[in-house]
Amino acid sequence: MFPPFLARAARRWVWPLLAGWGYFLAAVAGLVLTRQTEGIATIWPASGVLLAALLLADRRDAWRFVATAVVASMAANMMWYGGIGTSLGFSVANSIDALMAATIFAGRRREQVSFLIPRRLRIFCLAATIGAVVSAGVATMASPDGSATFFLSWACTDLLGMLIVTPMIVIAAELMRDRHRSRPRPAQVAEAIVLLSGIGGAAALVFFQTTYPLLYLPFVGVLFVVFRLGAFGAAASVLIVTLVSSLATAANHGPLAMLPGGPVFGILFLQIYLLLMFAAALPTASLLGWRDRLIRQLAEKNEMLELAERTAHVGHWRLDIRSGDMFCSDEIFAIYGREKVERPSTDIAIRAYHIDDRAFVLAQIKASVTTTSPFDFRARIIRASGEIRHVISKGWATLGADGRTSGIFGTMQDITDQVTAELALDEARSAAERMAWDATRMAETDYLTGVFSRRKILQILDQSIDSASLGGGALTVVTFDIDHFKRVNDEHGHAAGDRVLQRVASAVASSIRPQDFVGRVGGEEFIIVLPGASIDVAEAVGERVRSVVFHGAEGPLIVTISLGVAAWEPASTAEQLLGRADAALYDAKHAGRNMLRVAA
């Protein structure tokens, strides 16, 4: 058996050693990714591991985590660079970032480590940025070929490591700590697995192909996951996109490989892309979490208010009408924000009400004195400091021995916190509704051309087929794409290609009937859905669209389109209808392009 002091020391070193091992593996992974990208990494996850360890650990053990991280960093850098001086300089830089960020974020009083409080999230981002900049400065001085590019790359890489990796580890640790108190249901676990797997699949689809620039897809998916899974979903989905995009970019795959400027520019573009995704995901989750907290607080306050109305003492006052004497409890003075005095004055009490409420309050009290009926009103009180307090006043007149009103007894309750919470809840609800509307619009609209997205236009086609099946009406579709669009991109650049897509989409949208729908299904391919249109009408619409696109060309770019028209036949599916239209489109292309063909 070990002596007690050795056993205690061993327990104090378990987590630092595990964190050091995790730091080493993360550092090696980050260095391996630099092999294919001219020595530049997209993200340095080791800094995120160390920062998470420092935030979760006892402050007294911080030096143990830093020590193991320095040793792990030295080992990784020696394996990679070999030089002791450079490795030591890089190891110091790799440790000072997380240590400085943890010191700034936690503060002297060791404030709560939470990413669900917007203010704390802002402080975390600022702390990580400062740590990354300082670390980059140290590393630049230690590097034999330090430059402005090296400084910027190091700072961005370090910052991404802390912003993306740290929240994931901290939130996962919080979930593990609270798993017995709030164990997730199997359905919630299954939903999280499906959604995060979808994020991984979407990221792979985007970054392991170079045909279509679909960088918007992960953004849409991440925002949806944020709404469904909250902060955990935000951190996990951004981390998944980061890992997939980093691997793909390191292997020279994905749309970033098409960018000019080589790997350095591609990595910088990817880092900005990931920073924007983080800025969209975690702050949104923080705001949603804060909104939920406000909702819970409001519910708790309402419950406590009901209990207080039954059991607790509320500020009370009594006015003797005949003598003019007035008594107020201590709570009344607290509500008014005034020091307790021997003889409170009715004039002071009335003048304390907001000028817009003063006449109403006097009318309520006079009516109670005259009719002996109870009064119940809400009003605003302005304290001597200028602060406005919202109150509820209730009371009734008391009768003397002669049957006349002798006095007034009343109670007053300060409801300022309740009013503030209601306003905050309304603001949070409005913000959530705006974000939900924006997410829906993003999902239904093609981001480049402004016409319907692929998912939306296919949904419209399915609905149109259902309507035609039930009502026996006609339905036709027109599929078209831009002739020689690849040549436009190759000879004039993708920016010119984007402008062509926008111009064609605008021309088509202005040429179809009001009841028709147009959507972009990918690249330069479009679909027009014409409910209630016969094949002749569809052919006329298609010819008008073709003519407008051809004759509306401006400048040296002469753009034409080829179109295929097909009419829906009873019992046929959307896939069959589109297949026939595509076949007619191919006939138009084989016949020389810039023409329309009708499916047989």
Side-chain angles (χ1 to χ4, degrees), residues 235-250:
S237 57
V238 173
L239 180 60
I240 290 172
V241 173
T242 300
L243 294 176
V244 173
S245 61
S246 298
L247 291 173
T249 304

PDB file of all heavy atoms in Angstrom, residues 235-250:
ATOM      1  N   ALA A 235     -22.485  23.095 -30.484  1.00  0.00           N
ATOM      2  CA  ALA A 235     -21.062  22.769 -30.343  1.00  0.00           C
ATOM      3  C   ALA A 235     -20.697  21.516 -31.136  1.00  0.00           C
ATOM      4  O   ALA A 235     -19.675  21.470 -31.826  1.00  0.00           O
ATOM      5  CB  ALA A 235     -20.720  22.588 -28.864  1.00  0.00           C
ATOM      6  N   ALA A 236     -21.549  20.482 -31.038  1.00  0.00           N
ATOM      7  CA  ALA A 236     -21.237  19.219 -31.712  1.00  0.00           C
ATOM      8  C   ALA A 236     -21.276  19.370 -33.227  1.00  0.00           C
ATOM      9  O   ALA A 236     -20.399  18.857 -33.939  1.00  0.00           O
ATOM     10  CB  ALA A 236     -22.216  18.138 -31.252  1.00  0.00           C
ATOM     11  N   SER A 237     -22.288  20.057 -33.756  1.00  0.00           N
ATOM     12  CA  SER A 237     -22.406  20.178 -35.206  1.00  0.00           C
ATOM     13  C   SER A 237     -21.272  21.013 -35.792  1.00  0.00           C
ATOM     14  O   SER A 237     -20.729  20.661 -36.851  1.00  0.00           O
ATOM     15  CB  SER A 237     -23.767  20.786 -35.567  1.00  0.00           C
ATOM     16  OG  SER A 237     -23.938  22.043 -34.931  1.00  0.00           O
ATOM     17  N   VAL A 238     -20.897  22.097 -35.116  1.00  0.00           N
ATOM     18  CA  VAL A 238     -19.777  22.902 -35.620  1.00  0.00           C
ATOM     19  C   VAL A 238     -18.484  22.093 -35.578  1.00  0.00           C
ATOM     20  O   VAL A 238     -17.659  22.155 -36.505  1.00  0.00           O
ATOM     21  CB  VAL A 238     -19.643  24.200 -34.800  1.00  0.00           C
ATOM     22  CG1 VAL A 238     -18.381  24.955 -35.204  1.00  0.00           C
ATOM     23  CG2 VAL A 238     -20.855  25.080 -35.001  1.00  0.00           C
ATOM     24  N   LEU A 239     -18.299  21.304 -34.530  1.00  0.00           N
ATOM     25  CA  LEU A 239     -17.098  20.462 -34.443  1.00  0.00           C
ATOM     26  C   LEU A 239     -17.082  19.428 -35.563  1.00  0.00           C
ATOM     27  O   LEU A 239     -16.038  19.171 -36.174  1.00  0.00           O
ATOM     28  CB  LEU A 239     -17.060  19.773 -33.073  1.00  0.00           C
ATOM     29  CG  LEU A 239     -15.853  18.857 -32.827  1.00  0.00           C
ATOM     30  CD1 LEU A 239     -14.548  19.641 -32.933  1.00  0.00           C
ATOM     31  CD2 LEU A 239     -15.949  18.197 -31.453  1.00  0.00           C
ATOM     32  N   ILE A 240     -18.232  18.832 -35.866  1.00  0.00           N
ATOM     33  CA  ILE A 240     -18.298  17.832 -36.927  1.00  0.00           C
ATOM     34  C   ILE A 240     -17.951  18.459 -38.275  1.00  0.00           C
ATOM     35  O   ILE A 240     -17.160  17.915 -39.056  1.00  0.00           O
ATOM     36  CB  ILE A 240     -19.694  17.189 -36.955  1.00  0.00           C
ATOM     37  CG1 ILE A 240     -19.897  16.298 -35.722  1.00  0.00           C
ATOM     38  CG2 ILE A 240     -19.891  16.365 -38.221  1.00  0.00           C
ATOM     39  CD1 ILE A 240     -21.313  15.779 -35.571  1.00  0.00           C
ATOM     40  N   VAL A 241     -18.541  19.618 -38.569  1.00  0.00           N
ATOM     41  CA  VAL A 241     -18.233  20.291 -39.831  1.00  0.00           C
ATOM     42  C   VAL A 241     -16.743  20.652 -39.899  1.00  0.00           C
ATOM     43  O   VAL A 241     -16.109  20.528 -40.950  1.00  0.00           O
ATOM     44  CB  VAL A 241     -19.107  21.548 -39.981  1.00  0.00           C
ATOM     45  CG1 VAL A 241     -18.686  22.358 -41.212  1.00  0.00           C
ATOM     46  CG2 VAL A 241     -20.571  21.171 -40.088  1.00  0.00           C
ATOM     47  N   THR A 242     -16.184  21.073 -38.761  1.00  0.00           N
ATOM     48  CA  THR A 242     -14.763  21.419 -38.728  1.00  0.00           C
ATOM     49  C   THR A 242     -13.888  20.212 -39.059  1.00  0.00           C
ATOM     50  O   THR A 242     -12.952  20.302 -39.866  1.00  0.00           O
ATOM     51  CB  THR A 242     -14.388  21.966 -37.343  1.00  0.00           C
ATOM     52  OG1 THR A 242     -15.173  23.129 -37.067  1.00  0.00           O
ATOM     53  CG2 THR A 242     -12.924  22.331 -37.290  1.00  0.00           C
ATOM     54  N   LEU A 243     -14.197  19.072 -38.426  1.00  0.00           N
ATOM     55  CA  LEU A 243     -13.386  17.874 -38.668  1.00  0.00           C
ATOM     56  C   LEU A 243     -13.481  17.426 -40.119  1.00  0.00           C
ATOM     57  O   LEU A 243     -12.471  17.139 -40.772  1.00  0.00           O
ATOM     58  CB  LEU A 243     -13.840  16.751 -37.725  1.00  0.00           C
ATOM     59  CG  LEU A 243     -13.590  16.984 -36.229  1.00  0.00           C
ATOM     60  CD1 LEU A 243     -14.175  15.844 -35.404  1.00  0.00           C
ATOM     61  CD2 LEU A 243     -12.102  17.125 -35.952  1.00  0.00           C
ATOM     62  N   VAL A 244     -14.708  17.367 -40.648  1.00  0.00           N
ATOM     63  CA  VAL A 244     -14.884  16.891 -42.025  1.00  0.00           C
ATOM     64  C   VAL A 244     -14.221  17.846 -43.014  1.00  0.00           C
ATOM     65  O   VAL A 244     -13.500  17.415 -43.923  1.00  0.00           O
ATOM     66  CB  VAL A 244     -16.387  16.725 -42.332  1.00  0.00           C
ATOM     67  CG1 VAL A 244     -16.591  16.396 -43.807  1.00  0.00           C
ATOM     68  CG2 VAL A 244     -17.004  15.645 -41.464  1.00  0.00           C
ATOM     69  N   SER A 245     -14.453  19.140 -42.854  1.00  0.00           N
ATOM     70  CA  SER A 245     -13.884  20.108 -43.789  1.00  0.00           C
ATOM     71  C   SER A 245     -12.359  20.140 -43.707  1.00  0.00           C
ATOM     72  O   SER A 245     -11.689  20.299 -44.730  1.00  0.00           O
ATOM     73  CB  SER A 245     -14.453  21.495 -43.516  1.00  0.00           C
ATOM     74  OG  SER A 245     -14.139  21.924 -42.199  1.00  0.00           O
ATOM     75  N   SER A 246     -11.820  19.979 -42.496  1.00  0.00           N
ATOM     76  CA  SER A 246     -10.358  19.979 -42.347  1.00  0.00           C
ATOM     77  C   SER A 246      -9.739  18.773 -43.048  1.00  0.00           C
ATOM     78  O   SER A 246      -8.731  18.894 -43.749  1.00  0.00           O
ATOM     79  CB  SER A 246      -9.987  19.990 -40.867  1.00  0.00           C
ATOM     80  OG  SER A 246     -10.465  21.149 -40.225  1.00  0.00           O
ATOM     81  N   LEU A 247     -10.352  17.602 -42.844  1.00  0.00           N
ATOM     82  CA  LEU A 247      -9.832  16.399 -43.507  1.00  0.00           C
ATOM     83  C   LEU A 247      -9.932  16.519 -45.021  1.00  0.00           C
ATOM     84  O   LEU A 247      -8.999  16.169 -45.750  1.00  0.00           O
ATOM     85  CB  LEU A 247     -10.602  15.169 -43.017  1.00  0.00           C
ATOM     86  CG  LEU A 247     -10.364  14.771 -41.550  1.00  0.00           C
ATOM     87  CD1 LEU A 247     -11.318  13.657 -41.148  1.00  0.00           C
ATOM     88  CD2 LEU A 247      -8.923  14.327 -41.346  1.00  0.00           C
ATOM     89  N   ALA A 248     -11.076  17.024 -45.509  1.00  0.00           N
ATOM     90  CA  ALA A 248     -11.254  17.139 -46.948  1.00  0.00           C
ATOM     91  C   ALA A 248     -10.278  18.151 -47.545  1.00  0.00           C
ATOM     92  O   ALA A 248      -9.673  17.906 -48.595  1.00  0.00           O
ATOM     93  CB  ALA A 248     -12.697  17.547 -47.257  1.00  0.00           C
ATOM     94  N   THR A 249     -10.113  19.284 -46.884  1.00  0.00           N
ATOM     95  CA  THR A 249      -9.212  20.313 -47.402  1.00  0.00           C
ATOM     96  C   THR A 249      -7.762  19.845 -47.370  1.00  0.00           C
ATOM     97  O   THR A 249      -6.991  20.122 -48.290  1.00  0.00           O
ATOM     98  CB  THR A 249      -9.374  21.608 -46.579  1.00  0.00           C
ATOM     99  OG1 THR A 249     -10.742  22.008 -46.609  1.00  0.00           O
ATOM    100  CG2 THR A 249      -8.520  22.712 -47.141  1.00  0.00           C
ATOM    101  N   ALA A 250      -7.410  19.114 -46.307  1.00  0.00           N
ATOM    102  CA  ALA A 250      -6.049  18.583 -46.229  1.00  0.00           C
ATOM    103  C   ALA A 250      -5.771  17.592 -47.352  1.00  0.00           C
ATOM    104  O   ALA A 250      -4.646  17.473 -47.831  1.00  0.00           O
ATOM    105  CB  ALA A 250      -5.821  17.914 -44.872  1.00  0.00           C
TER     106      ALA A 250
END
